[in-house]
Amino acid sequence: MPRSSPVFVHVPYDDIEAIKAAATPNTVAVMVEPVQGEGGVCVPSSDYLPALRKLCDDRGWLLILDEIQTGNGRTGKYFAYQHFGILPDVVTTAKGLGNGVPIGACLARGQAATIFQPGNHGSTFGGNPLACSAALAVVKTITEQNLPEQASRLGARMLNGFRTALADVHGIVDIRGSGLMIGIQLNKDCPELVEKAKQVGLLINVTAGSTIRLLPPLIISDDQADEIVSTLVELIKSHQAE
Ligand SMILES: Cc1ncc(COP(=O)(O)O)c(C=O)c1O
């Protein structure tokens, strides 16, 4: 069948009306991150995913969630969609799933689970026993050690620490997050902070130009979480004073 429109149409995040406006009779699915990572750690309003679930049900579309970054305990639940009381049709996940071993997974339920059959989507190393064993051990460890709960507790501790310590610092646009996925948005670009942080032993990332993104390991201690906050606060203060 000839394609007359792009495969993916991009719309603004956290905006259900934008999806309705972009829909065509050929629309079959909506794919979205439950919390945007690279986009700047954007946590949607609490009614966005439930409204999207309803829209997809009403229109007969699949709801596909990209949990590559948010899955496996990162946001304080095993999957981020669990914060919103909905079930997606398809979920992709990777990163934390292998805890360093390269593996990604695509999960589906209901009708969506009947589409791919074994062998339909082959790949040289897909489903290899070594990576799958590593992922199984990771899932078991995350579940048995209740690491999502730990991420939730430590994330709240860090958010609170940043909000308190940066309350009087000028140019802090927002401090937001979900579990151990934290974003601090400044009023100016700050890519140089990545190197400055490295020099004091901290690995951070800057996304969308001016948002410092933190994705610390789920197994850090309270003391380490506090150390991340105090070290980064000093860096931010001197950056904003320049
Ligand atoms: C939310 C999200 N989706 C997709 C990807 C791409 O994943 P992969 O590199 O496994 O293809 C990334 C990688 O950073 C991501 O953060």
Side-chain angles (χ1 to χ4, degrees):
M1 197 175 74
R3 260 191 212 119
S4 57
S5 58
V7 175
F8 272 99
V9 176
H10 295 91
V11 294
Y13 191 59
D14 199 12
D15 183 347
I16 206 83
E17 295 306 320
I19 295 178
K20 288 182 189 167
T24 73
N26 292 329
T27 302
V28 292
V30 176
M31 184 171 189
V32 71
E33 286 173 272
V35 176
Q36 273 190 334
E38 200 67 27
V41 189
C42 304
V43 184
S45 34
S46 57
D47 56 357
Y48 180 58
L49 285 177
L52 188 51
R53 175 70 276 178
K54 184 171 182 321
L55 182 66
C56 289
D57 288 341
D58 290 348
R59 308 269 180 114
W61 303 336
L62 292 180
L63 176 58
I64 306 172
L65 293 185
D66 178 344
E67 294 244 17
I68 286 183
Q69 205 166 127
T70 52
N72 308 292
R74 171 60 55 195
T75 70
K77 299 275 187 193
Y78 198 93
F79 284 113
Y81 68 74
Q82 293 172 298
H83 291 289
F84 301 96
I86 58 134
L87 275 180
D89 301 295
V90 179
V91 177
T92 58
T93 190
K95 299 202 192 296
L97 179 62
N99 199 28
V101 173
I103 183 167
C106 180
L107 308 143
R109 71 179 181 98
Q111 256 198 316
T114 64
I115 298 165
F116 274 135
Q117 297 298 324
N120 280 166
H121 190 65
S123 122
T124 305
F125 297 121
N128 75 81
L130 178 63
C132 289
S133 302
L136 273 177
V138 171
V139 172
K140 191 163 177 278
T141 305
I142 290 175
T143 311
E144 284 179 0
Q145 297 187 11
N146 203 3
L147 294 181
E149 162 62 28
Q150 159 125 333
S152 173
R153 189 180 63 75
L154 284 171
R157 184 185 179 103
M158 290 177 71
L159 265 189
N160 193 33
F162 282 123
R163 285 179 178 149
T164 306
L166 294 171
D168 297 327
V169 177
H170 96 96
I172 307 293
V173 175
D174 195 18
I175 301 173
R176 53 183 177 258
S178 184
L180 281 174
M181 186 168 180
I182 295 174
I184 302 168
Q185 187 179 351
L186 308 184
N187 64 345
K188 54 183 176 179
D189 284 358
C190 55
E192 66 276 25
L193 277 183
V194 174
E195 191 51 43
K196 286 185 181 166
K198 215 187 280 176
Q199 283 164 16
V200 290
L202 207 57
L203 290 177
I204 64 166
N205 176 250
V206 171
T207 61
S210 58
T211 299
I212 300 162
R213 179 176 52 164
L214 300 176
L215 300 160
L218 308 189
I219 53 162
I220 54 170
S221 64
D222 288 20
D223 285 349
Q224 287 168 326
D226 294 346
E227 192 182 338
I228 294 171
V229 173
S230 56
T231 308
L232 192 54
V233 162
E234 287 316 306
L235 285 175
I236 294 171
K237 279 184 177 169
S238 58
H239 178 264
Q240 291 302 94
E242 278 167 13

